[in-house]
Structures are given as structure tokens and as C-alpha cells.
């Protein structure tokens, strides 16, 4: 079946009477590589009979294989929504739909459970209805999904430098073909930057492959492939047509989601997504590759918009060309990290450090390191594990605390080297702990500040008791721990004040804000 016959088939499938389940009306959605027929409570998805270079569905055998792969891959994240494959018999004018795969069909499809299109996360975001909980759930779900996938086989080439570079280079060739109206100078500049970045990051790319970060991912993790259904997350439409595009570094996967959020103007959610993912996965090494992969992902979306523009006409084509140009502009912005800066949160338990860090990273950008999370990770515990102990005992012994601050220092050093602002969320009760991080900022030649949070002891006690009752927080602090902190806290001294921004958690604004000072 060629593309013309397939279009005839699609017209025939607009007839509700062609379906072996109750259908009152059929709605057609067309993407650059698929037809989706929304029929009653189900969706029939047919791969387009075309070859775009990066996807080749030009033969029936290929489309049959891709349907089987789509079912397998998407049942990992959405088992209840991916029902089966379907075989279409008869002819293009009078098709017959049969559930399941069978020989002798004229076309194959994927059968899915239908959900309201209004629940798509890109649409919810556009209407201002996407809750923060959806982003937090997404980050946790993606981190868990990545953990569950086995690393690329040792003998494969997935994730090596050639496998990373080849689709990036092919994408530039395809952009030149499909996006001739895009500024050639900008594409040339981006291509040169990409080659330079690949050369600079070659050792890191190889090391991450060796360390097991190359896995069979989703591959197309943007908001148009996600839905928020009554407080439940649905992620669908993983890449089925190219193993090379889904056996990738997990750093590339999360870069796509962050880039897509940024493209849609959701800057703070993009920052929260990355931070939540890093907190759940512990994979802070992914940060150094974010500029490369975000730029690449933006350029892929520019190409897809350009292809769709060629398939459309009139106002729709013009809007898609504008979209391609906007993705190109975003790719240019993605090249530069925000710039290294080290901020440490200093204050007693319950004084609002974590809340302040979350607000600042959303407003300013950066990566947050939480002592409560990294302490437990060091000892093989999850962030929500209860490691409550007497003051100075268990995970909170002097030796455990020394190891925790050493790990935070190590992570901060790597993130600053990657050009990232870093927020270290810990009590920093002792001058010696603060001095080590101030010295790190000095060695890195970046600004340093101490965000000192403060609240009355009675309020701290109430907050800690409330947090212990409600649960759901990585902190194990008790009122007994707080009393010990009150007795031993060394507030920032006079010679530290140039770096201090004092923040009262009883007020919305800082008491005495100062710009970050050179270390």
C-alpha cells in the first residue's frame, strides 16, 4: 500500500460503521508520521507509508514491526492504555478491522484506550491548568522508569560517541532539506558549536556509557506525549521506529522534557523537573551534558515543525514555519549554561531552608543539593526512608555528617565546573563547614553567598512537630535534634557578613538582601 492508497484507507476509516466496537463519530488527528483515528472509546493508530530519512515506514513489513514495537515499548509506562495491535483486511475502500496481528492484512495499526485530549499536559499548561504535582510526579516516574531499564548491552554501540553524534549530524542535513527558510548562518553556527561540544564532552559521553546510563528510554518525552488524568500521570508514544533514538543516555531524555517546558514558557517547572529528577536518581553527572542535548532536542523539534509545514498549507504551514524558527532560537539559547554561582543555605531545622532553595532555583536557575537526601543516599537509603536517631547517633553521627558534607562538596565542585548555579541545602551549623564551601567558590572563581534562614525557636518547634506528623519529607529532624542545634549553632561571624543574605521565614521578602559577593 502506497501513500495514496493509504489516504484512501484513512477516508474509509472515517466511517463509524467500519469498527467492530460501538462508534458514533470518528475524529482524525494527523502527525508527521502517523494517522490517529479517535473512534468511540478507542484509538486506532496507523503508521504513514513514507520515508523521511530518520523514520522509514515505506513498507508494510516495516509498519507491522513498528506497531508491535510500539505496543511493547509503551506498555512499560502505560500498560492499561496500550490494548493490542490490529490488522486491517479487505481493501482501501472497504477495510475490515480485526483485533490482533495476522498475516495477509493490507495494513496494521496499534489499538489504544482513548482519553480526553483536554488532559494532554501541553494543553493543560497552555490553559494554566497544569499542577505542580504533575511535574513532580513526572520527574519521579521518569527516574523510576530509567532505573528499571537495563543498561545497553556491553557489545552494542548504543550511546558511544558515534551513536550520539550521528543523529545530530543527520538532523542538520535534514534541517537543510526541510527548513530551507531557516537562517543558514544560524544553522552553520549551531553545527560548529555542536561539533566542538561533542569533542569536548567525548570522554564524559564514553564514561557515562561505561557507567550504565545508556538505556532503552522513551525517546520522545515531550508534553504532547503526556496526560494528567484525575491526578494520575500517563506517558505514551515512545519511539518505536529507531532503536538508536531510544537507546540513549538518560541525560538526553530529561533534556528533551526540560527543553519542551522551556519552549512553552514554563521556565520554573523546567527547573523543578530537572532538580526533582536529579534528587530521585542521584545522577548529577547528567547536568554537564544538558546544553548539548537541549540544543539537539530543540533542533529536532525545529525539523519536525518544518516537515509538518511542508505537509500543510495556508495559515497552518505559516504557523509551523514560525514554530520551527522559534525552536531554532531556543537551540541558540540552550548553548550557554547560566553560569557558576555557589549559594549555601544556613539555618536550624524548620527555618525554611528547603522552601527558600526551591523558590530561588525556580527564579534564578540552578541545581539544589539537599543534605537530607544525599546523606541517606550515601547509606543506601531512599529519601523517604525514616532514619530518625538520637542526636549525634546513627546517620547523624559526627562521622556520617563529615561524609555527607564531603559528598556535597564533591557534587558542588562538579556542578560548578559545568557552569551551574548551585544551592546547597544543609544546616551549616559550624563555621568550618561554611569555610570549606567558601574556599570552593574561591577556587572556582565564582560568586558565593550564605542564605541564612531564621525563625523564632517556638515556631521552629511547631514546624518540626507538624512535619513529623504529616510525613512525606526527607528530613528526620526531631525537636530533640533542634534543641541540640540551638545549643551548638555557630551563626555567621562578622567576617562572613559580606556574603550573608539574612532571610526570615516569617516574611515573604529577605530582611537584608545583598548581591552575591566574589568569594
Amino acid at each position: 500500500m502506497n501513500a495514496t492508497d493509504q489516504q484512501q484507507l484513512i477516508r474509509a476509516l472515517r466511517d463509524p460503521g467500519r469498527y467492530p466496537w460501538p462508534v458514533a463519530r470518528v475524529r482524525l488527528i494527523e502527525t508527521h508520521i502517523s494517522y490517529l483515528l479517535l473512534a468511540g472509546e478507542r484509538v486506532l493508530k496507523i503508521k504513514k507509508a513514507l520515508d523521511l530519512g530518520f523514520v522509514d515506514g515505506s513498507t508494510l513489513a516495516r509498519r507491522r514491526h513498528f506497531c508491535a514495537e510500539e505496543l511493547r515499548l509503551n506498555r512499560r509506562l502505560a500498560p492499561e492504555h496500550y490494548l493490542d495491535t490490529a490488522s486491517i483486511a479487505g481493501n482501501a475502500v472497504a477495510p475490515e478491522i480485526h483485533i490482533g496481528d495476522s498475516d495477509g492484512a493490507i495494513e496494521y495499526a496499534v489499538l489504544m484506550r482513548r482519553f480526553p485530549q483536554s488532559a494532554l499536559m501541553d494543553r493543560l499548561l497552555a490553559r494554566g491548568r497544569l499542577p505542580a504535582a504533575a511535574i513532580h510526579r513526572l520527574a519521579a516516574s521518569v527516574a523510576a522508569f530509567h532505573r528499571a531499564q537495563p543498561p545497553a548491552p556491553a557489545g552494542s554501540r548504543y550511546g558511544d560517541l558515534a551513536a550520539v553524534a550521528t543523529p545530530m549530524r543527520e538532523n542538520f542535513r535534514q534541517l537543510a532539506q526541510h527548513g530551507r527558510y531557516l537562517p543558514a548562518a544560524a544553522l552553520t553556527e549551531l553545527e560548529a558549536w555542536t561539533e566542538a561540544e561533542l569533542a569536548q564532552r567525548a570522554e564524559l559521553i564514553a564514561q557515562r556509557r561505561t557507567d550504565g546510563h545508556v538505556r532503552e528510554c522513551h525517546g520522545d518525552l515531550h508534553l504532547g506525549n503526556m496526560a494528567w488524568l484525575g491526578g494520575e500521570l500517563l506517558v505514551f508514544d515512545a519511539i518505536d521506529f529507531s532503536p538508536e533514538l531510544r537507546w540513549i543516555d538518560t541525560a538526553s531524555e530529561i533534556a528533551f522534557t526540560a527543553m519542551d517546558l522551556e519552549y512553552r514558557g514554563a521556565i520554573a517547572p523546567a527547573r523543578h523537573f530537572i532538580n526533582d529528577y536529579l534528587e530521585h536518581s542521584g545522577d548529577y553527572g547528567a547536568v554537564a551534558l544538558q546544553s548539548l542535548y537541549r540544543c539537539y532536542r530543540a533542533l529536532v523539534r525545529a525539523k519536525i515543525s518544518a516537515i509538518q509545514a511542508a505537509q500543510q498549507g495556508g495559515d497552518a504551514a505559516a504557523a509551523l514555519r514560525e514554530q520551527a524558527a522559534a525552536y531554532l532560537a531556543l537551540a541558540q539559547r540552550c548553548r550557554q549554561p547560566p553560569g557558576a554561582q555557589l549559594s549555601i543555605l544556613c539555618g536550624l531545622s524548620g527555618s525554611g531552608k528547603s522552601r527558600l532553595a526551591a523558590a530561588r532555583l525556580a527564579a534564578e536557575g540552578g541545581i539544589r543539593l539537599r543534605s537530607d537526601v544525599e546523606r541517606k543516599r550515601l547509606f543506601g537509603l531512599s529519601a523517604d526512608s525514616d532514619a530518625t536517631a538520637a542526636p549525634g547517633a546513627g546517620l547523624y553521627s559526627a562521622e556520617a555528617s563529615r561524609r555527607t558534607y564531603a559528598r556535597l562538596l564533591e557534587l558542588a565542585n562538579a556542578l560548578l565546573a559545568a557552569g551551574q548555579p548551585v544551592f546547597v541545602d544543609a544546616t551549616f551549623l559550624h563555621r568550618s563547614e561554611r569555610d570549606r564551601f567558601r574556599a570552593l567558590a574561591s577556587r572556582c572563581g565564582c560568586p558565593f553567598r550564605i542564605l541564612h534562614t531564621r525563625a523564632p525557636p517556638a515556631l521552629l518547634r511547631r514546624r518540626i512537630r507538624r512535619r513529623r506528623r504529616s510525613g512525606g519529607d526527607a528530613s528526620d529532624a526531631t525537636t530533640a535534634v533542634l534543641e541540640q542545634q540551638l545549643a551548638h549553632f555557630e551563626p555567621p561571624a562578622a567576617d562572613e557578613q559580606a556574603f550573608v543574605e539574612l532571610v526570615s521565614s516569617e516574611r515573604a521578602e529577605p530582611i537584608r538582601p545583598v548581591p552575591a559577593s566574589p568569594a
Side-chain angles (χ1 to χ4, degrees):
M1 178 175 288
N2 58 32
T4 301
D5 292 336
Q6 197 179 58
Q7 289 169 0
Q8 175 61 58
L9 171 67
I10 298 302
R11 286 193 291 271
L13 290 173
R14 299 293 297 273
D15 178 3
R18 294 290 175 189
Y19 294 82
W21 60 85
V23 176
R25 176 175 174 265
V26 179
R27 180 187 171 199
L28 173 66
I29 296 177
E30 183 177 350
T31 74
H32 61 300
I33 58 174
S34 300
Y35 298 105
L36 292 95
L37 295 140
L38 281 58
E41 295 182 351
R42 300 182 180 183
V43 177
L44 197 69
K45 181 177 180 181
I46 296 173
K47 314 289 184 181
K48 283 186 175 180
L50 48 68
D51 181 0
L52 291 174
F54 65 96
V55 52
D56 182 2
S58 58
T59 69
L60 182 61
R62 283 181 174 275
R63 297 195 295 278
R64 182 183 193 178
H65 170 71
F66 294 153
C67 286
E69 280 290 85
E70 178 165 357
L71 190 69
R72 175 184 73 84
L73 293 163
N74 286 287
R75 279 181 167 175
R76 298 176 300 171
L77 284 165
E80 295 180 356
H81 281 76
Y82 279 78
L83 303 175
D84 209 332
T85 54
S87 305
I88 302 174
N91 57 55
V93 178
E96 301 170 2
I97 300 172
H98 301 282
I99 307 304
D101 188 6
S102 63
D103 294 330
I106 63 168
E107 191 57 87
Y108 295 93
V110 178
L111 187 62
M112 298 177 286
R113 191 184 308 278
R114 187 174 176 179
F115 62 84
Q117 295 294 288
S118 59
L120 288 168
M121 284 173 60
D122 58 347
R123 299 189 182 188
L124 290 172
L125 181 62
R127 301 198 306 271
R129 300 289 299 276
L130 184 64
I135 298 299
H136 297 313
R137 181 78 60 82
L138 176 63
S141 297
V142 172
F145 170 63
H146 286 167
R147 280 196 305 273
Q149 306 312 307
S156 74
R157 302 307 303 269
Y158 296 134
D160 67 11
L161 184 60
V164 172
T166 296
M168 294 182 179
R169 291 165 180 161
E170 288 178 349
N171 197 56
F172 282 109
R173 289 194 290 272
Q174 291 155 358
L175 273 166
Q177 176 186 353
H178 298 287
R180 296 185 182 91
Y181 51 86
L182 295 170
L187 288 171
T188 299
E189 181 184 4
L190 282 164
E191 187 170 11
W193 177 85
T194 297
E195 292 294 343
E197 191 74 0
L198 285 166
Q200 181 180 351
R201 305 295 180 186
E203 185 176 338
L204 176 58
I205 289 169
Q207 187 61 52
R208 287 184 60 79
R209 182 179 183 277
T210 300
D211 291 344
H213 294 293
V214 174
R215 305 191 173 210
E216 191 174 33
C217 294
H218 179 281
D220 202 20
L221 204 63
H222 61 82
L223 267 65
N225 286 340
M226 307 170 193
W228 186 247
L229 301 165
E232 294 298 323
L233 175 69
L234 171 65
V235 178
F236 59 95
D237 209 17
I239 286 181
D240 56 72
F241 55 82
S242 172
E244 292 78 12
L245 294 180
R246 65 176 181 268
W247 280 96
I248 56 174
D249 191 325
T250 52
S252 179
E253 180 108 294
I254 62 171
F256 196 176
T257 310
M259 180 281 298
D260 191 47
L261 284 162
E262 184 174 348
Y263 171 78
R264 300 173 191 280
I267 307 300
R271 291 166 175 167
H272 281 306
F273 169 75
I274 289 293
N275 273 275
D276 284 358
Y277 176 88
L278 296 175
E279 192 168 296
H280 284 290
S281 68
D283 182 19
Y284 293 97
V287 173
L289 291 171
Q290 288 302 290
S291 291
L292 174 65
Y293 285 131
R294 287 193 198 195
C295 179
Y296 163 60
R297 293 295 192 169
L299 289 170
V300 169
R301 298 306 294 176
K303 173 188 68 181
I304 290 172
S305 296
I307 291 171
Q308 290 175 323
Q311 295 173 343
Q312 301 289 328
D315 293 342
L320 285 163
R321 285 194 293 270
E322 289 182 7
Q323 190 176 84
Y327 276 118
L328 178 63
L330 176 57
Q332 292 175 301
R333 296 196 299 274
C334 285
R335 291 177 297 172
Q336 293 298 325
Q341 174 175 296
L342 180 57
S343 303
I344 64 172
L345 282 293
C346 167
L348 305 173
S349 295
S351 61
K353 296 185 300 299
S354 295
R355 184 185 297 271
L356 176 63
R360 290 298 179 89
L361 73 86
E364 303 172 12
I367 305 299
R368 179 177 65 171
L369 301 172
R370 294 183 66 190
S371 63
D372 291 325
V373 173
E374 298 312 316
R375 181 187 300 268
K376 292 179 181 179
R377 203 188 316 273
L378 272 175
F379 291 90
L381 300 177
S382 63
D384 57 0
S385 299
D386 187 351
T388 305
L395 263 63
Y396 298 88
S397 67
E399 175 58 19
S401 293
R402 185 198 64 77
R403 288 181 57 190
T404 299
Y405 277 95
R407 177 58 176 162
L408 293 171
L409 193 71
E410 177 187 2
L411 290 172
N413 183 44
L415 291 167
L416 292 170
Q420 292 292 322
V422 179
F423 295 86
V424 184
D425 178 1
T427 56
F428 282 99
L429 297 176
H430 304 296
R431 168 69 185 261
S432 60
E433 294 160 349
R434 298 192 296 270
D435 283 349
R436 281 193 288 274
F437 282 79
R438 179 177 167 183
L440 171 63
S442 180
R443 290 195 300 273
C444 293
C446 71
F448 174 73
R449 62 182 172 180
I450 300 170
L451 301 177
H452 181 193
T453 57
R454 201 168 63 178
L459 178 57
L460 298 178
R461 295 183 185 101
R462 288 198 300 272
R463 286 176 176 171
I464 289 173
R465 285 193 290 265
R466 184 169 62 244
R467 187 165 64 192
R468 296 293 296 174
R469 287 195 301 269
S470 61
D473 191 272
S475 174
D476 293 316
T478 63
T479 52
V481 169
L482 174 62
E483 298 307 324
Q484 186 185 58
Q485 292 177 357
L486 286 165
H488 295 95
F489 181 38
E490 301 170 11
D495 63 334
E496 295 179 272
Q497 291 304 312
F499 306 102
V500 171
E501 182 177 326
L502 187 60
V503 182
S504 170
S505 60
E506 294 181 291
R507 299 185 182 185
E509 297 297 326
I511 296 174
R512 185 172 61 82
V514 296
S517 305

